[in-house]
Amino acid sequence: MSDADRLHELLGLPAVDFQRETDGAARPAADAAAWRISVDPYDPDEEDVTWEAKFGAFLDAVDPSGVEALIIGQWGETYEENSSYPLGLVIAAADRLTALKAVFVGDLVGEEAEISWIEQSDVTTLLAAFPGLTHLGVRGGSGLEFPPVRHAALRALTIESGGLPAGALRGVLDSELPALERLDLWLGVSAYGGDVTLPDLAPLLAGTRFPGLRHLGLRNSELQNEIAVAIGAAPVVAQLRTLDLSNGTLGDEGAAALLEGQPLIHLTTLDLHHHFLSAPMERRVAEALEPHGVSVDLSGRCEPWDNRGAEGRYTAVAE
């Protein structure tokens, strides 16, 4: 992932890097930014600065009772120390971060750590500590834990990974999240720990787990065609407004299954970008849905590696 993939906003607020020194420039109000806290252990100016020290400076400089969105960036040697380190510090400050609604854990890009090298942990500790949290995002599947949890306020959950552990998925689907409206899952590839199978998705596709769900993303998967076939008959689709099957290995066979399955014309958006569809299939999809008002993203047509056909297809993000 490149620097362009760094989070630019959260909860509708612009991402702002917290700096201990501002050179006289005024800081935004606490509730006017999504505050990114990160350190660079390879920067000579920051090599001795810990995430704990920088977060402490943040709490002293910005009124923590007004902070609504927090982005956890690089916390040090992220290959060796997992996210329980910054999460523990944020949780310890819960009595000060009384307005916190959104947290993103692991906003790192390639030069800091490849997505599959980010060491995560049990991120549900945040949900236990912040009952008012409405948005939770996570980047990285290595070491990710998501034991079943009940949380009344969470409306949006995103897990970006090069390989999503099946255990973490099962924990999400066994959780009680009555307010959940948006679920984005990057399933990834088996070579980087993505061991989710189609049966693991069955409780989600049945439409019984999250009755308020309106957006579903099952993205970045080497199973994209199999998922498309399942979506064609999945009860959950009827309740959706937006469906995202992008960044994976979707080919003509998967797109045909989408069109031959249940109607999709109630959707406002179908995102298929980064795909392996032929030009005729692209036209077929667009002509079937766009006249009904469905916005279809068919950008980013890819070619298989080494002319290997279906065997040469690849996800957008893996390592």
Side-chain angles (χ1 to χ4, degrees):
M1 302 182 77
S2 69
D3 198 59
D5 298 303
R6 200 180 297 281
L7 215 63
H8 296 291
E9 64 89 24
L10 182 62
L11 203 68
L13 299 169
V16 172
D17 288 287
F18 172 74
Q19 302 295 337
R20 292 184 297 173
E21 305 296 334
T22 63
D23 296 325
R27 287 193 177 94
D31 62 354
W35 295 96
R36 183 188 289 112
I37 315 297
S38 62
V39 296
D40 185 352
Y42 310 110
D43 183 342
D45 294 330
E46 281 206 334
E47 60 183 353
D48 295 324
V49 178
T50 65
W51 200 90
E52 180 176 9
K54 198 160 191 180
F55 183 60
F58 166 73
L59 294 175
D60 290 338
V62 176
D63 177 12
S65 68
V67 174
E68 296 185 357
L70 184 65
I71 301 170
I72 298 175
Q74 189 170 21
W75 53 83
E77 297 284 354
T78 48
Y79 307 123
E80 300 176 359
E81 190 161 31
N82 68 31
S83 63
S84 64
Y85 163 51
L87 293 186
L89 295 169
V90 172
I91 290 166
D95 60 339
R96 302 176 68 185
L97 295 164
T98 52
L100 193 63
K101 297 177 182 176
V103 179
F104 190 94
V105 186
D107 185 28
L108 284 77
V109 294
E111 61 266 26
E112 296 167 329
E114 299 292 350
I115 191 170
S116 293
W117 300 357
I118 301 171
E119 291 296 327
Q120 286 292 349
S121 61
D122 179 358
V123 295
T124 65
T125 56
L126 281 170
L127 297 176
F130 295 95
L133 208 66
T134 61
H135 292 66
L136 176 61
V138 181
R139 180 172 294 162
S142 180
L144 178 67
E145 298 178 23
F146 202 107
V149 64
R150 189 184 193 286
H151 194 278
L154 192 69
R155 298 205 310 265
L157 174 62
T158 297
I159 302 177
E160 302 176 357
S161 79
L164 182 65
L169 172 67
R170 286 192 288 268
V172 171
L173 300 187
D174 286 341
S175 294
E176 294 183 47
L177 306 172
L180 195 69
E181 299 172 355
R182 298 182 60 86
L183 179 62
D184 265 295
L185 302 172
W186 297 21
L187 303 179
V189 301
S190 57
Y192 287 97
D195 57 353
V196 171
T197 64
L198 203 58
D200 292 321
L201 295 169
L204 173 61
L205 299 179
T208 56
R209 295 303 303 130
F210 309 121
L213 199 67
R214 297 296 176 265
H215 166 87
L216 176 60
L218 295 173
R219 310 175 56 190
N220 195 53
S221 177
E222 61 187 356
L223 303 177
Q224 212 71 65
N225 285 301
E226 292 90 335
I227 291 170
V229 172
I231 286 288
V236 72
V237 173
Q239 71 190 60
L240 301 178
R241 297 296 173 265
T242 56
L243 175 62
D244 190 341
L245 303 177
S246 66
N247 282 357
T249 57
L250 187 71
D252 282 6
E253 58 272 41
L258 284 175
L259 295 181
E260 292 163 5
Q262 62 187 304
L264 301 176
I265 58 175
H266 67 288
L267 297 175
T268 60
T269 303
L270 175 64
D271 191 343
L272 303 179
H273 82 270
H274 179 101
H275 61 79
F276 293 83
L277 274 59
S278 64
M281 182 56 76
E282 282 186 350
R283 290 193 295 272
R284 183 180 165 193
V285 171
E287 290 170 358
L289 297 175
E290 288 179 346
H292 297 279
V294 183
S295 176
V296 184
D297 187 346
L298 290 163
S299 62
R301 184 197 304 163
C302 303
E303 296 295 332
W305 281 323
D306 301 326
N307 297 313
R308 292 168 55 197
E311 294 298 316
R313 296 174 185 170
Y314 50 89
T315 60
V317 177
E319 184 181 17

